[in-house]
Amino acid sequence: MTRLHPLSAVTMALQQAITGFTIPFFLVIFLASVFDGVTTTWGFVLVPLGVLLGIGYGFAYYYRFEYEITSDTFDVQSGVFSRRSREIPYGRIQNVDVARGVLQRLLGLAVVSIETAGGGNTEATLRFVSEDEATRLQQQIRRRTAEAKNRQRTRRESASDTEAEPEPETVDDSRDRDESGRTTETQPAPTDEPERTADRDSRSDVAGVSRPQRLFDLESRELLLYAFTSFRPAAVAAVLFIFFLATDTILEYFLTVAQPVGGPTDLENGTTGSYGVLTVVSFVNGLVITYLLSVAYTFATYYGFRLGRVDDDFVYERGLIQRYSGSIPAEKVQSVTVTDNPAQRLISYAGLWVETAGYGPDSGSGSQSAVPLAASRRVYRFTENLTGVERPTFESPPPIARRRYLVRYSLLAAVVVAFAFGVTHVTGLERWYLAALVFVAVPPAAHLRYVNLGYFVGTDHLVIRRGFWRRRTTVIPYYRIQTVSTRRSIFQRRLGLASLVVDTASSRTFFWATPTIYDVDLGDARDANETSRHRLQSALRDRARSDEIGFSVDFT
């Protein structure tokens, strides 16, 4: 068994020491404010004691944490008071992710996370090991995982051959006849297979490691375009967190910026108009700050993005402040999605994402960027090479669906006008009727929603397109489909429409909803449902007779 890097004991002790300081400190303050018998002087005893206990626990955790690479499993033993032993079969390992922050890179350390299929949680985390050890673990586990998958495929092929043909009689070759006709027992030759295997593993680790074949590099120009033409929801949370920490400072900044254009001198003294100016200026400044944070976050996340292949796995590396590297098993890919937004479509650029079963290292779900941004023509060529899908000819929903969107957005506009009318009665603002200008956006919004919907029922793939602000074109092989269901709301039933929901084994998040064919004729939805089910069965039978992984790892 192998222990973590010695600096891991120091970092763990420091983390636990901070915890040991914080808990007694705030506990004593709380108890002193509630009970008369408790004074803050207790902290001079409890806080140092908590720090010592935290340091002791950190060092104990280090000495009790061990890991080992065996022939069939990756074993981890951990726990101070409650001992936990885990044996992770290589056949279940989906990704070995290596992360290195700025301080960790300076110290030559890395965090290794081992993820398994069927769940989004980390199965084992090694915090911390040396960079060389992280590379060795990543390469060895990746190689043994590939060997385990090859053994599984070989067993399936042997089982199918056994069912097809009767097994011939076996002949005992352990005995041979000599020249006089007597039978002599032939002893098997001594073998040093374990030693040879170990030597082979060692040579493989040193000189025989498969180097990644380069598939895609994100160039500096593409990185800047991606940063300035995309938006990260995490930037909103960052702005709210900053505002919570420095509310007074930010309010003073907004007041200073708003004063030259008619804003109030302070929050206590001002007119209705000046407060309105302050609101507009603050909103615009908030949008600009959020956008700039999004640009910085995207740039730092995808800096130095590289995608390659090792055997049947895609391998990636990215990150400026926090450097990540990991793999995407091709056999775990459920679907492929091309994404773009209005700004990216304007410059003819798009991105390519893959959906995997269970864990996705990029987002904590099943989504992982294979090509963050490239020319649209190049991305669509990548998609065709990766999936083998034929060039789709999309079918659009019936025109009655556009009328449905027109009514839906008109109702939303009416809600906005009603809200503005209510605000005028509370705040004294006038001209609430100017909010009715939102009705001007209703017809184009309904039209853009309609024209960006489409679907294609191909021979081997189902292709679904939806969305305007972030349009997604998803290619789903039939053999990856889990369920196909037809859904109809009350309004859809009145119009004779239906939506077809196509579910795969990939994880779903708030931002990545299940691929859905929206608002098609009920008959067309039933036909697509029936066709998908039949082709799913045919694809599964073909897959059972084939040894292909389904996605080309040389998609460039």
Side-chain angles (χ1 to χ4, degrees):
M1 300 291 283
T2 306
R3 284 199 175 97
L4 301 174
H5 194 278
L7 286 178
S8 176
V10 179
T11 57
M12 180 63 67
L14 290 176
Q15 292 176 357
Q16 296 300 322
I18 293 173
T19 304
F21 172 86
T22 304
I23 295 178
F25 179 79
F26 287 102
L27 182 62
V28 168
I29 292 178
F30 173 75
L31 294 177
S33 63
V34 176
F35 301 102
D36 295 334
V38 179
T39 63
T40 55
T41 56
W42 287 26
F44 293 102
V45 177
L46 295 180
V47 169
L49 181 61
V51 171
L52 291 176
L53 290 177
I55 294 175
Y57 182 86
F59 281 104
Y61 183 87
Y62 166 77
Y63 283 105
R64 297 281 285 174
F65 192 102
E66 296 176 314
Y67 64 92
E68 182 181 16
I69 294 180
T70 67
S71 58
D72 298 318
T73 60
F74 181 78
D75 299 343
V76 178
Q77 295 183 5
S78 61
V80 177
F81 301 108
S82 178
R83 196 68 172 162
R84 182 184 180 187
S85 300
R86 284 163 288 175
E87 296 180 355
I88 309 172
Y90 294 118
R92 291 187 61 244
I93 293 178
Q94 178 163 314
N95 181 55
V96 182
D97 193 10
V98 178
R100 292 166 293 168
V102 176
L103 180 60
Q104 296 158 14
R105 291 206 297 271
L106 291 175
L107 297 176
L109 301 178
V111 179
V112 179
S113 302
I114 298 176
E115 317 293 340
T116 57
N121 296 325
T122 302
E123 188 71 23
T125 301
L126 310 183
R127 192 187 306 268
F128 301 88
V129 296
S130 66
E131 291 185 354
D132 293 338
E133 176 69 1
T135 303
R136 184 187 74 87
L137 290 174
Q138 194 175 50
Q139 293 171 344
Q140 277 203 9
I141 294 175
R142 183 183 296 150
R143 176 172 56 81
R144 292 176 184 271
T145 300
E147 292 174 354
K149 295 172 183 176
N150 290 332
R151 287 196 298 268
Q152 292 175 358
R153 283 197 288 265
T154 302
R155 284 196 294 267
R156 288 197 298 267
E157 292 174 357
S158 301
S160 61
D161 293 341
T162 303
E163 294 177 358
E165 298 180 1
E167 185 178 354
E169 294 183 2
T170 58
V171 179
D172 187 3
D173 292 332
S174 63
R175 296 187 301 169
D176 295 332
R177 295 182 180 273
D178 60 12
E179 295 178 355
S180 62
R182 293 176 300 177
T183 60
T184 58
E185 194 78 17
T186 303
Q187 298 295 333
T191 176
D192 57 348
E193 182 62 24
E195 288 77 10
R196 290 204 303 267
T197 302
D199 294 341
R200 184 169 61 250
D201 291 346
S202 176
R203 290 194 301 271
S204 161
D205 295 337
V206 176
V209 174
S210 300
R211 293 187 176 274
Q213 175 188 348
R214 193 66 55 84
L215 296 179
F216 177 81
D217 284 344
L218 189 64
E219 299 176 356
S220 300
R221 176 174 178 271
E222 294 170 335
L223 175 61
L224 291 174
L225 286 175
Y226 186 51
F228 281 99
T229 60
S230 59
F231 179 76
R232 297 283 161 181
V236 179
V239 169
L240 294 177
F241 180 73
I242 295 173
F243 183 79
F244 177 77
L245 291 180
T247 305
D248 295 336
T249 303
I250 294 176
L251 288 177
E252 288 293 334
Y253 166 76
F254 286 157
L255 286 170
T256 304
V257 174
Q259 284 177 10
V261 291
T265 56
D266 54 57
L267 293 177
E268 289 77 15
N269 301 311
T271 63
T272 303
S274 63
Y275 286 137
V277 170
L278 175 63
T279 302
V280 173
V281 170
S282 301
F283 180 75
V284 172
N285 276 271
L287 289 180
V288 172
I289 294 172
T290 304
Y291 174 72
L292 293 178
L293 285 176
S294 174
V295 171
Y297 177 80
T298 304
F299 183 88
T301 301
Y302 288 96
Y303 177 83
F305 182 93
R306 292 193 292 267
L307 182 72
R309 62 156 294 194
V310 174
D311 298 327
D312 292 338
D313 290 347
F314 298 110
V315 294
Y316 68 91
E317 187 175 356
R318 60 175 175 82
L320 177 61
I321 300 175
Q322 185 87 350
R323 194 70 181 167
Y324 293 95
S325 65
S327 59
I328 310 171
E331 68 173 11
K332 300 297 184 182
V333 176
Q334 303 294 305
S335 61
V336 177
T337 300
V338 177
T339 64
D340 54 35
N341 57 39
Q344 293 168 354
R345 290 197 293 271
L346 186 64
I347 59 176
S348 299
Y349 272 73
L352 179 63
W353 292 67
V354 295
E355 301 288 326
T356 57
Y359 170 80
D362 188 60
S363 60
S365 65
S367 301
Q368 169 65 27
S369 179
V371 177
L373 193 72
S376 298
R377 185 176 302 175
R378 188 181 179 192
V379 169
Y380 282 108
R381 185 174 69 250
F382 285 171
T383 306
E384 293 174 0
N385 295 339
L386 174 61
T387 62
V389 64
E390 58 269 38
R391 187 66 58 89
T393 304
F394 289 103
E395 298 185 29
S396 300
I400 196 173
R402 180 159 37 195
R403 192 183 77 183
R404 184 184 180 218
Y405 304 142
L406 188 64
V407 174
R408 177 190 299 176
Y409 295 147
S410 296
L411 294 175
L412 290 176
V415 171
V416 172
V417 174
F419 178 78
F421 179 77
V423 169
T424 56
H425 284 72
V426 175
T427 61
L429 293 175
E430 300 178 355
R431 298 180 181 178
W432 60 269
Y433 49 83
L434 293 178
L437 291 175
V438 296
F439 281 99
V440 177
V442 169
H447 176 72
L448 292 174
R449 161 79 174 178
Y450 174 80
V451 298
N452 284 284
L453 293 177
Y455 68 98
F456 170 72
V457 182
T459 305
D460 300 311
H461 302 80
L462 185 64
V463 186
I464 301 174
R465 185 180 66 191
R466 71 271 188 211
F468 169 73
W469 295 109
R470 185 168 188 177
R471 188 171 63 183
R472 300 186 296 275
T473 305
T474 303
V475 180
I476 308 173
Y478 287 117
Y479 65 86
R480 290 301 192 190
I481 294 177
Q482 299 287 317
T483 59
V484 182
S485 58
T486 303
R487 299 180 183 177
R488 304 180 69 198
S489 66
I490 298 175
F491 304 102
Q492 286 177 317
R493 288 198 294 269
R494 293 188 59 184
L495 299 175
L497 302 177
S499 296
L500 195 67
V501 181
V502 183
D503 196 7
T504 64
S506 60
S507 300
R508 290 167 291 171
T509 66
F510 179 79
F511 299 102
W512 289 89
T514 305
T516 304
I517 302 174
Y518 290 103
D519 297 318
V520 295
D521 283 324
L522 179 59
D524 293 339
R526 288 174 175 172
D527 290 342
N529 192 338
E530 191 70 21
T531 302
S532 300
R533 288 168 54 191
H534 284 304
R535 293 183 180 177
L536 167 62
Q537 299 301 323
S538 301
L540 290 176
R541 287 193 294 268
D542 293 340
R543 288 275 296 174
R545 295 189 295 265
S546 174
D547 193 33
E548 297 180 357
I549 58 176
F551 289 88
S552 172
V553 289
D554 285 322
F555 68 92
T556 55

